[in-house]
Amino acid sequence: MGVCRAARNIGEFLADTVGEAVAEVVLGLLACLLLGCVVLLAYLSWSFDPRLTVAGAGFLSLLLAHGAWRTFRAPPNGRRRGLAALAATVFGAAAATALFLLLYATDCGCL
């Protein structure tokens, strides 16, 4: 009885360990793929038109700054509308992507 329980616990431990290792590899590959896509997008946009790339980066920076301001500054009635909601959503997505890349792309061998 004790041997069966010990074997089952060892099997569950091995399954969890292998699952975590596979998940770590998959997340690392996704981070490298995302980082490669960002670099490719920047390269292609710069080769297409450098002035438009700088203007787009400036617009994105303003949108992210407005989103951060609206996210960390509570609206009076608790709701966001229009551009404020869009900017807060874009800021949240950019922050989540940056955190994901910070955690998983640092171990990427492609850098």
Side-chain angles (χ1 to χ4, degrees):
M1 193 137 139
V3 174
C4 290
R5 187 172 3 157
R8 184 175 50 237
N9 287 339
I10 290 172
E12 289 175 4
F13 172 74
L14 288 176
D16 287 344
T17 303
V18 170
E20 287 179 12
V22 168
E24 189 75 25
V25 168
V26 167
L27 287 174
L29 287 174
L30 284 175
C32 286
L33 182 67
L34 179 63
L35 187 61
C37 287
V38 168
V39 169
L40 180 66
L41 181 68
Y43 173 74
L44 290 176
S45 67
W46 186 264
S47 65
F48 178 69
D49 189 7
R51 287 181 284 178
L52 189 61
T53 302
V54 171
F59 174 72
L60 184 62
S61 297
L62 285 175
L63 185 67
L64 289 175
H66 182 65
W69 182 60
R70 286 295 184 176
T71 299
F72 295 118
R73 180 178 171 262
N77 60 359
R79 290 181 38 178
R80 292 183 179 90
R81 293 187 178 181
L83 181 63
L86 175 69
T89 303
V90 169
F91 172 73
T97 303
L99 183 64
F100 175 71
L101 288 176
L102 180 69
L103 292 176
Y104 289 104
T106 54
D107 293 334
C108 185
C110 60
L111 295 178

